[in-house]
């Protein structure tokens, strides 16, 4: 079902605008084949570099040309996006060149080709204050989020204009920064759903502060009204069963509580646009399913994150999903997700491809910031030593407690500024080993000297991260296409500011009555 999606000229090149449904399926097939060939890279844990002898898992011809690369060379020759002016210190094997070229060709582009408004431009005068966002929307908001709410807000507003909707449901709204911009800044009627009640309280508090500022501006200007004041301020809803009722139509004959009925009735009188900014794990896929199943949801913008928390048939409960709740709220996801539905794959096509499975480690790596790591390489940052530190520590942990495989040491603050001995004391204590455990100085030195190889191996695996992310997002647009809805993937944010910068955009034509079938 074809609809007019937002202009590529305004929001950046559409990643999938030139791909037909057949080409999308073909790309998914090629990606799964490629990732299956290099799963030993995508599934490897860098902390096991020494314990599993990961360097030896690379072809000998690769090791010969990669072992002595300087960090800026790794940035340019392995992770660099440009093919111009590459000066190789030696002749690289064709298999390595093909690996790099294929990985870059299969991944959706992450850079927007829009004429202006990028992160570098809007923070040129003040690195913490966007020049393109009014001051009232910058308070309590970090630069990254300022950039995101400005860009996504404009896109949501365009979807509302195209669908003749004035109502928006913001799921996983957190402290309400996007909600306030959509409501107070763009004049939309917004319901914000958030499972964390502490965040809801903060959002309400910040709403009050902004209303106070607007009222003072209004009095100062002696105006009778202000275009910034909405008809009604944002409504914040706890992400529980009542939120579920907002997003789903009521089945014939179903009983709904009075409160749920009130919310449902208020929301479903008009059609609305659904948005989720960095909705964690399964929450993004859940929103897409509700977009398909509910005829009142006319459009959606979805920016995903935390791919490692996506449920799969192989791992229905990914590590960390319950132990470390995300502010977007797994409680909302749990209330809305059916037991037979998983976050990946969503589409029948990808689910039927041999080798489509993505490990927890591959999905976790897809959340890494390739641009940030490349910057560290160019700058030869001391931060690059942390992976080698952790891999070295893993060796001593395994020697003492072999059952502590991949022990959760967690991040050691400013580890790159510590000597390894200082780092080891802190790390050993976190796994209940003696902090003063005697360490073989020669063994430590030999491993730390291989830091360059650790960085190379991590960079090779990182090259696959955008390909994994592409497959997850491609699966979602194929799922929508299987259910009669066209969609696009837009690199909306500056990836240097916001690594998860691709937004899925979809509109339903009037008369779309819900899902054709379940995937």
């Amino acid at each position: 079902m074809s609809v007019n999606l937002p202009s590529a000229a305004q929001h950046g090149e559409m990643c999938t605008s030139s791909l037909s449904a057949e080409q999308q399926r073909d790309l998914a097939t090629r990606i799964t084949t490629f990732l299956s060939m290099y799963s030993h890279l995508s599934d490897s844990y860098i902390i096991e570099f020494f314990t599993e002898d990961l360097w030896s898992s690379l072809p000998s011809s690769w090791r010969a040309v990669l072992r002595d690369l300087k960090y800026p060379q790794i940035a340019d020759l392995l992770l660099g996006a440009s093919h111009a002016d590459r000066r190789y210190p030696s002749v690289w094997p064709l298999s390595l060149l093909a690996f790099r070229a294929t990985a870059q060709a299969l991944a959706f582009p992450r850079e927007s080709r829009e004429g202006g408004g990028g992160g570098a431009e809007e923070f040129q005068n003040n690195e913490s204050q966007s020049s393109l966002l009014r001051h009232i929307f910058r308070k309590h908001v970090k630069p990254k989020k300022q950039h995101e709410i400005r860009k996504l807000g404009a896109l949501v507003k365009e979807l509302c204009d195209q669908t003749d909707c004035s109502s928006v449901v913001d799921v996983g709204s957190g402290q309400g920064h996007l909600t306030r911009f959509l409501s107070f800044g763009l004049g939309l009627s917004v319901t914000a759903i958030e499972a964390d009640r502490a965040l809801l309280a903060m959002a309400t508090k910040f709403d009050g502060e902004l209303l106070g500022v607007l009222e003072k501006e209004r009095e100062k200007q002696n105006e009778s009204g202000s275009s910034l004041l909405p008809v009604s301020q944002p409504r914040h809803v706890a992400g529980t069963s009542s939120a579920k009722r907002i997003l789903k139509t009521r089945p014939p004959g179903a009983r709904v509580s009075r409160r749920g009925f009130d919310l449902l009735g208020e929301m479903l009188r008009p059609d609305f646009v659904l948005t989720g900014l960095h909705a964690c794990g399964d929450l993004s896929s859940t929103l897409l399913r509700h977009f398909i199943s509910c005829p009142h949801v006319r459009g959606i913008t979805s920016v995903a994150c935390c791919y490692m928390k996506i449920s799969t048939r192989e791992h229905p409960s990914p590590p960390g999903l319950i132990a470390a709740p995300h502010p977007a709220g797994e409680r909302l996801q749990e209330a809305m997700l059916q037991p037979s539905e998983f976050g990946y794959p969503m589409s029948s096509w990808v689910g039927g491809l041999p080798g489509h499975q993505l490990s927890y480690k591959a999905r976790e790596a897809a959340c890494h910031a390739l641009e940030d790591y490349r910057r560290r390489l160019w700058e030869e940052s001391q931060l690059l030593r942390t992976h080698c530190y952790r891999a070295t520590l893993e060796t001593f942990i395994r020697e003492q407690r072999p059952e502590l495989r991949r022990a959760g040491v967690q991040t050691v603050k400013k580890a790159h500024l510590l000597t390894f001995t200082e780092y080891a004391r802190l790390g050993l204590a976190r796994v209940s080993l003696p902090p003063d455990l005697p360490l073989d100085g020669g063994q430590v030195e030999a491993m730390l000297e291989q830091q360059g190889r650790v960085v190379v191996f991590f960079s090779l695996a990182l090259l696959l991260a955008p390909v994994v992310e592409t497959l997850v997002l491609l699966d979602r647009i194929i799922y929508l296409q299987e259910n009669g809805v066209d969609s696009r993937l837009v690199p909306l944010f500056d990836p240097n500011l916001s690594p998860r910068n691709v937004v899925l955009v979809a509109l339903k034509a009037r008369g779309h009555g819900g899902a054709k079938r379940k995937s």
Side-chain angles (χ1 to χ4, degrees):
M1 184 176 298
S2 179
V3 293
N4 294 321
L5 289 167
S7 164
Q10 181 173 348
H11 295 291
E13 182 184 13
M14 297 288 186
C15 297
T16 54
S17 58
S18 60
L19 298 181
S20 65
E22 181 179 355
Q23 289 171 324
Q24 291 173 4
R25 295 192 294 269
D26 178 65
L27 177 58
T29 303
R30 288 187 285 129
I31 289 177
T32 55
T33 300
F34 175 70
L35 290 176
S36 296
M37 292 174 59
Y38 294 99
S39 60
H40 64 284
L41 280 175
S42 61
D43 296 352
S44 295
Y45 287 78
I46 197 64
I47 67 173
E48 297 180 329
F49 184 83
F50 299 115
T51 57
E52 301 297 326
D53 194 14
L54 295 182
W55 184 250
S56 295
S57 69
L58 299 177
S60 58
S61 59
W62 290 25
R63 300 198 303 268
V65 299
L66 295 176
R67 63 190 174 195
D68 296 321
L69 289 182
K70 305 299 182 183
Y71 293 149
Q73 290 177 316
I74 298 172
D76 292 333
L77 301 181
L78 269 183
L79 301 181
S82 173
H83 296 274
D85 300 325
R86 278 181 172 160
R87 298 181 180 180
Y88 297 90
S90 60
V91 178
W92 279 24
L94 290 178
S95 59
L96 177 57
L97 294 172
F99 166 76
R100 184 196 62 198
T102 304
Q104 293 177 337
L106 292 178
F108 286 141
R110 292 171 50 77
E111 296 284 346
S112 172
R113 294 186 179 180
E114 63 179 326
E121 177 181 327
E122 66 182 299
F123 295 102
Q124 185 173 7
N125 297 327
N126 187 329
E127 62 181 14
S128 64
Q129 301 290 323
S130 170
S131 61
L132 302 177
L133 195 65
R134 283 199 65 193
H135 70 93
I136 58 174
F137 301 114
R138 300 196 301 248
K139 188 175 182 181
H140 307 297
V141 186
K142 295 181 180 180
K144 172 180 178 291
K145 183 69 73 172
Q146 293 177 32
H147 175 72
E148 292 168 350
I149 65 175
R150 178 183 69 82
K151 300 280 287 183
L152 185 59
L155 182 57
V156 171
K157 179 63 166 66
E158 185 173 348
L159 260 65
C160 288
D161 292 342
Q162 289 193 18
T163 56
D164 196 26
C165 295
S166 61
S167 296
V168 177
V169 175
D170 178 13
V171 180
S173 53
Q175 297 181 37
H177 301 312
L178 175 62
T179 297
R180 276 186 293 282
F181 183 61
L182 291 172
S183 182
F184 293 99
L186 300 178
L188 299 170
S189 174
V190 187
T191 296
I193 301 176
E194 172 56 53
D196 190 323
R197 292 184 181 274
L199 294 178
L200 280 175
M202 293 298 294
T204 302
K205 175 185 174 183
F206 294 159
D207 285 356
E209 291 179 0
L210 191 147
L211 277 169
V213 172
L214 290 179
E215 188 61 32
K216 289 180 179 179
E217 287 186 356
R218 181 179 175 183
E219 293 174 356
K220 184 177 180 180
Q221 297 172 4
N222 195 26
E223 296 176 346
S224 59
S226 172
S227 60
L228 287 173
L229 283 172
V231 175
S232 61
Q233 65 188 79
R235 179 178 56 186
H236 297 277
V237 179
T240 58
S241 57
S242 60
K244 177 182 178 181
R245 296 187 186 102
I246 288 179
L247 295 172
K248 297 190 74 171
T249 54
R250 181 164 61 99
R255 296 180 62 85
V256 181
S257 69
R258 177 61 185 270
R259 176 61 176 159
F261 181 82
D262 290 343
L263 291 172
L264 185 66
E266 289 171 21
M267 281 305 306
L268 296 187
R269 283 195 197 104
D271 292 342
F272 61 95
V273 169
L274 192 59
T275 189
L277 175 54
H278 294 145
C280 179
D282 280 342
L283 190 53
S284 289
S285 52
T286 299
L287 294 182
L288 290 175
R289 286 190 168 100
H290 281 276
F291 168 66
I292 289 296
S293 65
C294 177
H296 295 279
V297 185
R298 294 292 311 287
I300 187 170
T301 66
S302 171
V303 186
C305 74
C306 302
Y307 300 123
M308 65 284 195
K309 292 186 179 181
I310 293 174
S311 63
T312 65
R313 188 171 300 279
E314 297 77 27
H315 300 284
S317 299
L321 189 61
I322 298 175
H326 187 276
E330 275 77 21
R331 281 183 290 163
L332 174 59
Q333 168 257 313
E334 181 181 357
M336 297 167 64
L337 192 64
Q338 299 301 315
S340 61
E341 296 174 336
F342 298 102
Y344 174 85
M346 294 185 68
S347 70
S348 297
W349 177 262
V350 172
L353 293 175
H356 73 270
Q357 295 83 0
L358 294 174
S359 68
Y360 173 88
K361 184 64 184 72
R363 289 181 280 115
E364 185 271 335
C367 297
H368 288 187
L370 187 147
E371 290 81 8
D372 182 63
Y373 196 74
R374 191 163 57 206
R375 190 181 311 113
R376 293 181 187 182
L377 290 167
W378 281 325
E379 297 172 353
E380 301 184 85
S381 170
Q382 293 184 38
L383 290 166
L384 295 169
R385 68 175 56 167
T386 55
H387 283 139
C388 190
Y389 269 17
R390 180 62 184 87
T392 302
L393 181 63
E394 184 76 3
T395 301
F396 293 107
I397 292 175
R398 299 269 188 101
E399 287 179 356
Q400 297 298 313
R401 298 271 302 278
E403 72 277 12
L404 287 181
R405 189 166 180 257
R406 303 172 190 165
V409 172
Q410 304 303 324
T411 301
V412 174
K413 188 176 182 180
K414 296 184 179 180
H416 62 288
L417 300 179
L418 305 176
T419 66
F420 177 76
T421 300
E422 294 170 330
Y423 170 83
R425 288 196 186 107
L426 295 172
L428 290 169
R430 294 184 179 185
V431 293
S432 301
L433 287 174
D436 57 351
L437 184 74
L439 304 177
D440 186 322
Q443 188 180 4
V444 170
E445 183 179 359
M447 287 186 282
L448 295 183
E449 286 178 350
Q450 298 187 58
Q451 178 179 315
R453 297 184 181 186
V454 175
V455 170
V456 164
F457 191 92
F458 183 79
S459 298
L460 288 169
L462 189 59
L463 196 57
L464 295 173
V467 186
V468 174
E469 181 175 35
T470 294
L471 181 58
V472 173
L473 297 177
L474 186 60
D475 168 58
R476 294 175 181 181
I477 65 172
I478 293 175
Y479 163 80
L480 294 176
Q481 192 276 329
E482 288 175 347
N483 284 278
V485 176
D486 290 336
S487 60
R488 297 289 184 269
L489 294 172
V490 185
L492 188 66
F493 308 139
D494 183 336
N496 294 291
L497 285 174
S498 182
R500 305 280 65 77
N501 71 319
V502 176
V503 55
L504 187 154
V505 188
L507 298 176
K508 286 187 302 195
R510 290 191 180 277
H512 189 283
K516 293 180 178 179
R517 55 176 172 74
K518 293 183 178 180
S519 62

